[in-house]
Amino acid sequence: MSAELTAARYGKTKVRVFRIVRDGKWHNIVEYNVEALLEGEIATSYTEADNSVVVATDSIKNITYFLAKTSPHILSAEKFALHLGTFFVSKYAHISKAFVTIEQLRWSRIHVDGEESAEGHSHSFYRDGNDKRVVKVEVDGSAGKDKLVGKVTAGINDLLVLKSTGSAFENFYRDEYATLIEVNDRIFSTSVDLSYTFAPISLRAPTDEKKVEFVVPLQKGEEGYAGSVWDEEVPARARKATLETFAVDESASVQATLYKMAQRIVAENASVNSVSYALPNKHYIPVDLRYLNIDNLTPAKAEVFMPVDAPSGLITATVTRK
Ligand SMILES: O=c1[nH]c(=O)c2[nH]c(=O)[nH]c2[nH]1
């Protein structure tokens, strides 16, 4: 029997980064969990115990903190991920690709009655949700270190939502295994995982010796600006489309609501190529109180429910621009 190495990628994960950007008395903050993985001419580190090709994962962590301190793009997860990926591929001749994933935790300004501005407090924040923004970046230098290509996927994980009506599930396939009762009114709850992709972008290689430069190619308003990942409004529009569609849709199924959410994100974001959702159907079962002669089962009378952790349905799909 013989076998060979067919894939190899390594790096650091769960690098926890908190950064303050001070603008006078106004503080801007971000909290990121960063993963940075590298590919390239590293096979011998696996096959021949040759560590000379290994940029230590400890160094990868150190670089993440170094750029968190020095990158002018730290407040944007997309730009910071692209900056970090560009650095690895530019700095190390034998590293051809970098895969950077950033999970951004929520911190929003506290609003204090009669104090500060409408934007909220200048330096006090709270965690206003357990959903995370997720940005996945691949920086590919395999066609040449001056021909860097960036591939970006971004989205949201763990956005928990529930609606107490406006959801039905009827006319599904019936056979001897179908025990589920059709309902024209039910609870619909899901924990949204959303991701959307942009067309690959070309990235400018750093021109300085230390390879720390990262130039955002074109800003909004500049000639040739293509939107794409540089459009900082995409995350807010995608979150709003998800929440609003969920709220107002008269849902025939998780599938049908998912499709409407994805359609709206594609329609509203010219640079988004495809949208994927993974929606667990978190079941809430009306408690049967017939043994006490109490009706808690007919939809209009169903008031007490048992939330079910497992199993849940899991509805997924990708909608791609034609
Ligand atoms: O919206 C739904 N989609 C399904 O595919 C499904 N299957 C099921 O049992 N309940 C539901 N609900």
Side-chain angles (χ1 to χ4, degrees), residues 168-169 172 180 186 251-255 281 283 313 315:
F169 189 59
F172 49 87
L180 185 70
R186 65 173 182 174
S251 174
S253 65
V254 177
Q255 286 89 335
N281 189 5
H283 303 302
I315 314 299

Side-chain angles (χ1 to χ4, degrees), residues 19-320:
R19 169 71 146 91
I20 303 172
V21 175
R22 294 186 178 84
D23 181 7
K25 77 165 192 171
W26 287 95
H27 287 193
N28 297 290
I29 61 169
V30 285
E31 183 166 346
Y32 294 150
N33 295 322
V34 181
E35 177 178 278
L37 305 180
L38 307 180
E39 281 187 11
E41 287 161 29
I42 56 173
T44 53
S45 67
Y46 295 81
T47 59
E48 294 167 33
D50 169 19
N51 288 344
S52 70
V53 297
V54 179
V55 176
T57 70
D58 190 63
S59 311
I60 295 172
K61 177 255 306 170
N62 290 343
I63 290 164
T64 303
Y65 286 122
F66 162 67
L67 276 188
K69 174 76 177 174
T70 57
S71 173
H73 307 295
I74 185 70
L75 293 179
S76 156
E78 284 85 348
K79 288 177 194 162
F80 181 62
L82 285 165
H83 191 175
L84 192 54
T86 298
F87 178 86
F88 287 120
V89 168
S90 304
K91 167 84 177 166
Y92 301 108
H94 69 297
I95 297 302
S96 51
K97 290 185 183 179
F99 299 82
V100 179
T101 300
I102 295 184
E103 189 182 71
Q104 179 171 13
L105 307 180
R106 291 183 70 81
W107 284 117
S108 294
R109 290 185 192 283
I110 294 175
H111 286 263
V112 181
D113 274 354
E115 269 189 38
E116 308 283 352
S117 77
E119 291 168 64
H121 198 268
S122 57
H123 61 261
S124 297
F125 305 83
Y126 70 114
R127 175 70 37 86
D128 66 335
N130 287 325
D131 57 306
K132 297 128 198 130
R133 231 159 72 63
V134 180
V135 171
K136 281 177 179 285
V137 157
E138 175 187 335
V139 175
D140 182 354
S142 52
K145 302 286 178 156
D146 55 349
K147 294 191 182 63
L148 302 182
V149 176
K151 293 167 198 159
V152 180
T153 296
I156 303 169
N157 277 357
D158 305 327
L159 177 57
L160 185 59
V161 291
L162 180 148
K163 63 194 292 181
S164 51
T165 187
S167 165
F169 189 59
E170 298 173 297
N171 304 318
F172 49 87
Y173 194 94
R174 294 222 80 94
D175 63 7
E176 65 271 35
Y177 299 108
T179 61
L180 185 70
I181 294 165
E182 303 196 9
V183 282
N184 60 14
D185 188 3
R186 65 173 182 174
I187 289 176
F188 176 7
S189 177
T190 187
S191 175
V192 177
D193 282 0
L194 158 69
S195 68
Y196 44 84
T197 62
F198 299 95
I201 49 173
S202 58
L203 297 167
R204 290 193 202 169
T207 53
D208 60 317
E209 201 189 332
K210 288 201 166 303
K211 310 295 184 193
V212 297
E213 180 188 273
F214 182 75
V215 181
V216 172
L218 288 163
Q219 299 290 350
K220 208 166 189 166
E222 284 183 57
E223 197 182 300
Y225 171 77
S228 188
V229 299
W230 315 116
D231 181 351
E232 290 180 0
E233 306 303 316
V234 176
R237 279 200 298 267
R239 192 170 195 271
K240 189 170 159 66
T242 300
L243 290 174
E244 289 185 359
T245 306
F246 177 79
V248 304
D249 186 36
E250 284 298 323
S251 174
S253 65
V254 177
Q255 286 89 335
T257 302
L258 181 162
Y259 184 67
K260 289 181 190 174
M261 290 174 173
Q263 285 284 346
R264 179 164 157 190
I265 292 179
V266 172
E268 290 181 352
N269 298 279
S271 54
V272 166
N273 274 354
S274 70
V275 176
S276 297
Y277 278 102
L279 303 179
N281 189 5
K282 298 171 81 68
H283 303 302
Y284 284 70
I285 313 287
V287 175
D288 188 349
L289 298 175
R290 282 178 298 183
Y291 73 101
L292 294 173
N293 256 330
I294 298 172
D295 182 4
N296 191 59
L297 293 185
T298 43
K301 296 266 175 68
E303 294 168 321
V304 178
F305 297 81
M306 185 178 62
V308 179
D309 274 346
S312 67
L314 182 60
I315 314 299
T316 73
T318 299
V319 170
T320 305

